[in-house]
Amino acid sequence: MIQSVAFIGLGAMGYRMAAHLPQHFDTVYVWNRNFEKAQQHATEYGTQAVELQHAVQADIIFSCLPTSTDVEALIAPLSIKSGAIWVDCTSGVPASAKHLSQQLKVQNVDFLDAPVSGQTIGAQNATLTVMVGGNTQAFEKARPAIQAFGQLIKHVGDSGTGFAVKAVNNMLLAVNLCSVAEGFTTLKAHGVNLNEALDCINASSGKSGVTETVLLQRILNRSFPLTFALPLLAKDTGIALDLVREAKLSAPVIALTQSLIQASSDLAEKDSDFSSAVKMYESWSKITLE
Ligand code: NDP
Protein backbone atom coordinates (compact mmCIF):
# COMPACT_ATOMS: atom_id res chain seq x y z
CA MET A 1 0.00 0.00 0.00
CA ILE A 2 1.55 3.28 -1.11
CA GLN A 3 1.12 6.01 1.52
CA SER A 4 3.40 8.67 0.09
CA VAL A 5 5.17 9.49 -3.17
CA ALA A 6 7.87 11.99 -4.10
CA PHE A 7 9.04 13.56 -7.34
CA ILE A 8 12.58 14.91 -7.72
CA GLY A 9 13.46 17.04 -10.75
CA LEU A 10 10.70 19.32 -11.95
CA GLY A 11 11.99 20.06 -15.44
CA ALA A 12 10.12 20.05 -18.74
CA MET A 13 8.98 16.45 -18.07
CA GLY A 14 9.01 16.15 -14.28
CA TYR A 15 6.95 19.26 -13.59
CA ARG A 16 4.10 17.88 -15.69
CA MET A 17 4.45 14.24 -14.57
CA ALA A 18 4.36 15.17 -10.88
CA ALA A 19 1.23 17.24 -11.44
CA HIS A 20 -0.89 14.04 -11.74
CA LEU A 21 0.23 12.47 -8.47
CA PRO A 22 -2.05 14.42 -6.06
CA GLN A 23 -5.11 13.01 -7.86
CA HIS A 24 -4.05 9.52 -6.67
CA PHE A 25 -2.09 10.01 -3.42
CA ASP A 26 -2.69 12.16 -0.32
CA THR A 27 0.98 12.82 0.39
CA VAL A 28 3.07 14.02 -2.56
CA TYR A 29 6.48 15.56 -1.88
CA VAL A 30 8.32 17.51 -4.58
CA TRP A 31 11.90 18.72 -4.68
CA ASN A 32 13.83 20.65 -7.32
CA ARG A 33 17.39 22.04 -7.37
CA ASN A 34 15.99 25.49 -8.10
CA PHE A 35 13.61 25.28 -5.15
CA GLU A 36 11.29 28.05 -6.36
CA LYS A 37 10.02 25.62 -8.99
CA ALA A 38 9.04 23.16 -6.25
CA GLN A 39 7.23 25.91 -4.37
CA GLN A 40 5.44 26.96 -7.54
CA HIS A 41 4.43 23.31 -8.14
CA ALA A 42 3.05 23.07 -4.61
CA THR A 43 0.97 26.20 -5.13
CA GLU A 44 -0.25 25.06 -8.53
CA TYR A 45 -1.03 21.39 -7.81
CA GLY A 46 -1.28 20.91 -4.04
CA THR A 47 1.98 18.99 -3.70
CA GLN A 48 4.35 19.62 -0.74
CA ALA A 49 7.69 21.31 -1.49
CA VAL A 50 10.18 19.77 0.97
CA GLU A 51 13.91 19.36 1.51
CA LEU A 52 15.53 16.53 -0.46
CA GLN A 53 16.25 14.42 2.63
CA HIS A 54 12.56 14.71 3.58
CA ALA A 55 11.38 13.79 0.06
CA VAL A 56 13.31 10.51 0.12
CA GLN A 57 11.25 9.31 3.10
CA ALA A 58 8.36 8.58 0.69
CA ASP A 59 7.34 5.02 -0.25
CA ILE A 60 7.86 5.67 -3.97
CA ILE A 61 10.48 8.19 -5.07
CA PHE A 62 10.50 9.34 -8.70
CA SER A 63 13.41 11.19 -10.28
CA CYS A 64 13.70 12.78 -13.73
CA LEU A 65 17.05 14.51 -14.22
CA PRO A 66 19.10 15.06 -17.40
CA THR A 67 21.64 12.23 -16.95
CA SER A 68 22.54 9.19 -14.84
CA THR A 69 25.59 11.11 -13.60
CA ASP A 70 23.22 13.69 -12.07
CA VAL A 71 21.13 10.92 -10.46
CA GLU A 72 24.16 9.14 -9.00
CA ALA A 73 25.50 12.39 -7.51
CA LEU A 74 22.10 13.23 -6.05
CA ILE A 75 21.61 9.79 -4.46
CA ALA A 76 25.15 9.37 -3.03
CA PRO A 77 24.75 11.29 0.26
CA LEU A 78 21.10 10.38 0.94
CA SER A 79 19.56 8.23 3.67
CA ILE A 80 16.53 6.81 1.91
CA LYS A 81 13.53 5.24 3.64
CA SER A 82 14.05 1.50 4.16
CA GLY A 83 11.64 -0.43 1.92
CA ALA A 84 11.20 2.47 -0.51
CA ILE A 85 11.30 2.05 -4.30
CA TRP A 86 13.30 4.57 -6.34
CA VAL A 87 11.81 4.92 -9.84
CA ASP A 88 14.20 6.79 -12.11
CA CYS A 89 12.47 8.31 -15.15
CA THR A 90 15.66 9.88 -16.47
CA SER A 91 16.76 8.61 -19.90
CA GLY A 92 19.84 7.07 -18.36
CA VAL A 93 22.73 4.66 -18.76
CA PRO A 94 21.99 0.91 -18.28
CA ALA A 95 25.26 0.26 -16.40
CA SER A 96 24.37 3.03 -13.96
CA ALA A 97 20.98 1.42 -13.25
CA LYS A 98 22.71 -1.87 -12.43
CA HIS A 99 25.17 -0.06 -10.20
CA LEU A 100 22.49 1.95 -8.37
CA SER A 101 20.25 -1.07 -7.84
CA GLN A 102 23.17 -2.85 -6.14
CA GLN A 103 24.20 0.25 -4.15
CA LEU A 104 20.68 0.91 -2.85
CA LYS A 105 20.17 -2.69 -1.67
CA VAL A 106 22.36 -1.74 1.31
CA GLN A 107 19.61 0.69 2.37
CA ASN A 108 16.89 -1.90 1.57
CA VAL A 109 15.74 0.25 -1.35
CA ASP A 110 14.78 -1.08 -4.79
CA PHE A 111 15.84 0.84 -7.88
CA LEU A 112 13.84 0.71 -11.12
CA ASP A 113 14.99 2.34 -14.35
CA ALA A 114 11.75 3.69 -15.82
CA PRO A 115 12.42 6.14 -18.64
CA VAL A 116 9.48 7.63 -20.46
CA SER A 117 8.52 8.50 -24.02
CA GLY A 118 5.78 10.77 -25.32
CA GLN A 119 7.30 14.24 -24.94
CA THR A 120 6.00 17.06 -22.76
CA ILE A 121 2.50 16.76 -24.21
CA GLY A 122 2.40 13.11 -23.08
CA ALA A 123 3.57 14.15 -19.62
CA GLN A 124 0.84 16.77 -19.49
CA ASN A 125 -1.90 14.36 -20.63
CA ALA A 126 -0.62 11.38 -18.59
CA THR A 127 -0.21 9.34 -21.78
CA LEU A 128 3.48 8.49 -21.48
CA THR A 129 4.98 5.16 -22.45
CA VAL A 130 7.07 3.85 -19.55
CA MET A 131 9.70 1.14 -20.10
CA VAL A 132 10.77 -0.39 -16.82
CA GLY A 133 13.81 -2.45 -15.90
CA GLY A 134 14.48 -4.07 -12.53
CA ASN A 135 13.03 -6.36 -9.90
CA THR A 136 9.55 -7.67 -10.89
CA GLN A 137 8.08 -7.41 -7.37
CA ALA A 138 9.26 -3.83 -7.01
CA PHE A 139 7.75 -3.08 -10.41
CA GLU A 140 4.37 -4.50 -9.36
CA LYS A 141 4.46 -2.44 -6.14
CA ALA A 142 5.38 0.77 -7.96
CA ARG A 143 3.00 0.28 -10.89
CA PRO A 144 -0.01 2.12 -9.31
CA ALA A 145 2.15 5.22 -8.88
CA ILE A 146 3.62 4.97 -12.41
CA GLN A 147 0.05 4.75 -13.73
CA ALA A 148 -0.53 8.33 -12.60
CA PHE A 149 1.36 9.55 -15.69
CA GLY A 150 1.90 6.40 -17.77
CA GLN A 151 -0.48 4.89 -20.30
CA LEU A 152 1.55 2.00 -21.74
CA ILE A 153 3.70 0.61 -18.93
CA LYS A 154 5.96 -2.34 -19.73
CA HIS A 155 8.38 -4.31 -17.59
CA VAL A 156 11.09 -5.09 -20.16
CA GLY A 157 13.59 -7.05 -18.06
CA ASP A 158 16.29 -6.77 -15.44
CA SER A 159 17.97 -3.64 -14.18
CA GLY A 160 19.18 -1.41 -17.02
CA THR A 161 16.89 -2.80 -19.73
CA GLY A 162 14.42 0.10 -19.48
CA PHE A 163 17.26 2.55 -20.16
CA ALA A 164 18.45 0.36 -23.05
CA VAL A 165 15.03 0.35 -24.73
CA LYS A 166 14.78 4.11 -24.35
CA ALA A 167 18.24 4.68 -25.86
CA VAL A 168 17.43 2.51 -28.87
CA ASN A 169 14.05 4.24 -29.28
CA ASN A 170 15.70 7.64 -29.36
CA MET A 171 18.36 6.36 -31.74
CA LEU A 172 15.52 5.38 -34.11
CA LEU A 173 14.11 8.89 -33.76
CA ALA A 174 17.56 10.31 -34.57
CA VAL A 175 18.02 8.05 -37.61
CA ASN A 176 14.63 9.18 -38.92
CA LEU A 177 15.41 12.82 -38.24
CA CYS A 178 18.69 12.67 -40.19
CA SER A 179 17.22 10.72 -43.09
CA VAL A 180 14.19 13.02 -43.31
CA ALA A 181 16.51 16.06 -43.36
CA GLU A 182 18.53 14.51 -46.19
CA GLY A 183 15.48 13.30 -48.11
CA PHE A 184 13.55 16.55 -47.91
CA THR A 185 16.48 18.83 -48.78
CA THR A 186 16.97 16.58 -51.83
CA LEU A 187 13.30 16.90 -52.78
CA LYS A 188 13.45 20.68 -52.43
CA ALA A 189 16.60 20.80 -54.60
CA HIS A 190 14.51 19.06 -57.27
CA GLY A 191 11.73 21.66 -57.01
CA VAL A 192 9.21 19.45 -55.19
CA ASN A 193 6.45 21.05 -53.07
CA LEU A 194 7.38 19.76 -49.62
CA ASN A 195 3.90 19.87 -48.10
CA GLU A 196 2.45 17.84 -50.97
CA ALA A 197 5.39 15.42 -50.77
CA LEU A 198 4.81 15.04 -47.04
CA ASP A 199 1.15 14.10 -47.60
CA CYS A 200 2.25 11.40 -50.05
CA ILE A 201 4.93 10.01 -47.73
CA ASN A 202 2.61 9.99 -44.73
CA ALA A 203 0.28 7.77 -46.74
CA SER A 204 3.18 5.55 -47.84
CA SER A 205 5.75 3.15 -46.49
CA GLY A 206 8.39 5.80 -45.67
CA LYS A 207 6.36 7.47 -42.92
CA SER A 208 7.64 7.74 -39.35
CA GLY A 209 7.01 9.77 -36.22
CA VAL A 210 9.29 12.41 -37.70
CA THR A 211 7.29 12.74 -40.93
CA GLU A 212 3.93 12.48 -39.14
CA THR A 213 4.53 15.09 -36.44
CA VAL A 214 8.01 16.62 -36.15
CA LEU A 215 8.42 17.82 -39.73
CA LEU A 216 5.06 19.56 -39.93
CA GLN A 217 4.72 20.82 -36.38
CA ARG A 218 8.32 21.92 -35.70
CA ILE A 219 10.42 22.19 -38.87
CA LEU A 220 8.38 23.24 -41.93
CA ASN A 221 6.65 25.96 -39.86
CA ARG A 222 10.09 27.06 -38.55
CA SER A 223 8.89 27.05 -34.93
CA PHE A 224 11.43 24.61 -33.38
CA PRO A 225 9.69 24.89 -29.97
CA LEU A 226 12.02 23.82 -27.16
CA THR A 227 10.45 20.80 -25.44
CA PHE A 228 13.25 18.21 -25.77
CA ALA A 229 16.72 19.72 -25.89
CA LEU A 230 19.08 18.64 -28.70
CA PRO A 231 21.97 17.86 -26.26
CA LEU A 232 19.64 15.38 -24.50
CA LEU A 233 19.05 13.56 -27.82
CA ALA A 234 22.83 13.54 -28.40
CA LYS A 235 23.23 12.03 -24.93
CA ASP A 236 20.70 9.28 -25.80
CA THR A 237 22.35 8.43 -29.13
CA GLY A 238 25.65 8.19 -27.26
CA ILE A 239 24.12 5.69 -24.82
CA ALA A 240 22.80 3.62 -27.75
CA LEU A 241 26.21 3.57 -29.43
CA ASP A 242 27.88 2.53 -26.16
CA LEU A 243 25.42 -0.39 -25.94
CA VAL A 244 26.42 -1.49 -29.46
CA ARG A 245 30.11 -1.32 -28.52
CA GLU A 246 29.60 -3.18 -25.22
CA ALA A 247 27.94 -5.99 -27.18
CA LYS A 248 30.84 -5.90 -29.71
CA LEU A 249 28.41 -5.52 -32.61
CA SER A 250 28.76 -3.73 -35.89
CA ALA A 251 26.13 -1.00 -36.37
CA PRO A 252 27.31 1.56 -38.93
CA VAL A 253 23.99 3.44 -39.17
CA ILE A 254 23.92 3.93 -35.40
CA ALA A 255 27.56 5.03 -35.32
CA LEU A 256 27.10 7.55 -38.14
CA THR A 257 23.85 8.89 -36.72
CA GLN A 258 25.46 9.42 -33.33
CA SER A 259 28.24 11.47 -34.97
CA LEU A 260 25.73 13.53 -36.94
CA ILE A 261 23.48 14.27 -33.97
CA GLN A 262 26.49 15.11 -31.76
CA ALA A 263 27.84 17.47 -34.45
CA SER A 264 24.47 19.16 -34.89
CA SER A 265 24.22 19.59 -31.11
CA ASP A 266 27.73 21.06 -30.92
CA LEU A 267 26.88 23.53 -33.70
CA ALA A 268 23.42 24.48 -32.40
CA GLU A 269 22.56 27.58 -30.43
CA LYS A 270 21.96 27.19 -26.69
CA ASP A 271 18.47 25.89 -25.81
CA SER A 272 17.79 24.31 -29.21
CA ASP A 273 15.01 21.76 -29.62
CA PHE A 274 15.98 18.31 -30.98
CA SER A 275 14.27 19.17 -34.28
CA SER A 276 16.96 21.85 -34.84
CA ALA A 277 19.30 19.03 -35.86
CA VAL A 278 18.05 19.61 -39.43
CA LYS A 279 19.67 23.08 -39.42
CA MET A 280 23.08 21.48 -39.87
CA TYR A 281 21.85 19.92 -43.13
CA GLU A 282 20.31 23.23 -44.14
CA SER A 283 23.63 25.02 -43.67
CA TRP A 284 25.44 22.38 -45.75
CA SER A 285 22.91 22.43 -48.60
CA LYS A 286 21.89 26.13 -48.36
CA ILE A 287 18.33 24.80 -48.56
CA THR A 288 15.73 25.74 -45.95
CA LEU A 289 13.03 23.19 -45.12
CA GLU A 290 9.89 25.35 -45.24
P1 NDP B 1 15.03 19.65 -18.21
O1 NDP B 1 16.37 20.19 -18.55
O2 NDP B 1 13.82 20.42 -18.64
O3 NDP B 1 14.91 19.43 -16.63
C1 NDP B 1 15.97 18.88 -15.89
C2 NDP B 1 15.60 18.82 -14.43
O4 NDP B 1 16.68 18.24 -13.72
C3 NDP B 1 15.36 20.19 -13.79
O5 NDP B 1 14.40 20.04 -12.78
C4 NDP B 1 16.74 20.53 -13.22
O6 NDP B 1 16.68 21.39 -12.08
C5 NDP B 1 17.17 19.16 -12.73
N1 NDP B 1 18.61 19.01 -12.64
C6 NDP B 1 19.51 19.20 -13.64
N2 NDP B 1 20.75 18.88 -13.19
C7 NDP B 1 20.61 18.53 -11.89
C8 NDP B 1 21.52 18.11 -10.88
N3 NDP B 1 22.83 17.97 -11.15
N4 NDP B 1 21.03 17.82 -9.65
C9 NDP B 1 19.72 17.95 -9.38
N5 NDP B 1 18.80 18.35 -10.29
C10 NDP B 1 19.26 18.62 -11.53
O7 NDP B 1 15.00 18.17 -18.81
P2 NDP B 1 13.75 17.31 -19.30
O8 NDP B 1 12.67 17.34 -18.28
O9 NDP B 1 13.45 17.65 -20.73
O10 NDP B 1 14.42 15.86 -19.35
C11 NDP B 1 14.65 15.09 -18.17
C12 NDP B 1 14.97 13.66 -18.60
O11 NDP B 1 13.87 13.13 -19.34
C13 NDP B 1 16.19 13.58 -19.54
O12 NDP B 1 16.93 12.43 -19.25
C14 NDP B 1 15.55 13.51 -20.93
O13 NDP B 1 16.42 12.87 -21.86
C15 NDP B 1 14.29 12.74 -20.64
N6 NDP B 1 13.15 12.95 -21.56
C16 NDP B 1 12.81 14.20 -21.99
C17 NDP B 1 11.74 14.35 -22.84
C18 NDP B 1 11.29 15.70 -23.33
O14 NDP B 1 10.46 15.75 -24.26
N7 NDP B 1 11.77 16.82 -22.79
C19 NDP B 1 10.94 13.20 -23.30
C20 NDP B 1 11.34 11.95 -22.72
C21 NDP B 1 12.43 11.84 -21.90
P3 NDP B 1 16.73 23.00 -12.24
O15 NDP B 1 15.31 23.42 -12.47
O16 NDP B 1 17.26 23.45 -10.94
O17 NDP B 1 17.63 23.31 -13.41
Side-chain angles (χ1 to χ4, degrees), residues 239-261:
I239 295 170
L241 181 57
D242 285 345
L243 286 172
V244 170
R245 287 180 175 150
E246 283 163 28
K248 297 189 171 40
L249 299 174
S250 170
V253 174
I254 287 181
L256 182 58
T257 304
Q258 202 284 319
S259 299
L260 290 164
I261 292 294

Side-chain angles (χ1 to χ4, degrees), residues 57-235:
Q57 302 317 307
D59 297 324
I60 305 286
I61 303 151
F62 290 105
S63 52
C64 191
L65 305 185
T67 68
S68 285
T69 308
D70 298 318
V71 177
E72 286 187 18
L74 180 110
I75 285 180
L78 294 175
S79 276
I80 304 164
K81 177 182 174 165
S82 176
I85 303 171
W86 192 295
V87 183
D88 185 22
C89 300
T90 303
S91 298
V93 175
S96 173
K98 288 180 196 153
H99 167 72
L100 282 171
S101 79
Q102 285 302 321
Q103 183 186 318
L104 292 182
K105 271 188 190 157
V106 178
Q107 298 193 48
N108 190 31
V109 172
D110 280 303
F111 180 91
L112 299 173
D113 44 305
V116 298
S117 181
Q119 305 196 356
T120 50
I121 187 72
Q124 192 165 316
N125 295 336
T127 54
L128 292 173
T129 298
V130 191
M131 41 218 103
V132 187
N135 178 285
T136 308
Q137 282 176 332
F139 167 67
E140 290 304 340
K141 275 196 220 160
R143 192 206 285 264
I146 300 172
Q147 275 167 342
F149 52 76
Q151 190 170 53
L152 179 72
I153 303 166
K154 289 278 184 188
H155 183 243
V156 293
D158 291 341
S159 203
T161 55
F163 284 163
V165 175
K166 175 66 187 178
V168 169
N169 176 76
N170 279 20
M171 175 53 82
L172 297 177
L173 164 68
V175 169
N176 278 305
L177 194 54
C178 291
S179 57
V180 164
E182 293 178 20
F184 275 73
T185 46
T186 305
L187 287 177
K188 192 155 179 191
H190 284 274
V192 174
N193 178 315
L194 295 190
N195 283 298
E196 301 300 332
L198 186 58
D199 284 348
C200 294
I201 288 171
N202 279 337
S204 303
S205 51
K207 70 181 171 187
S208 67
V210 175
T211 62
E212 287 184 320
T213 61
V214 178
L215 192 52
L216 200 60
Q217 294 169 10
R218 293 171 188 255
I219 299 171
L220 292 178
N221 65 10
R222 311 306 291 168
S223 63
F224 303 101
L226 175 59
T227 63
F228 176 42
L230 183 51
L232 291 178
L233 179 60
K235 175 253 311 177

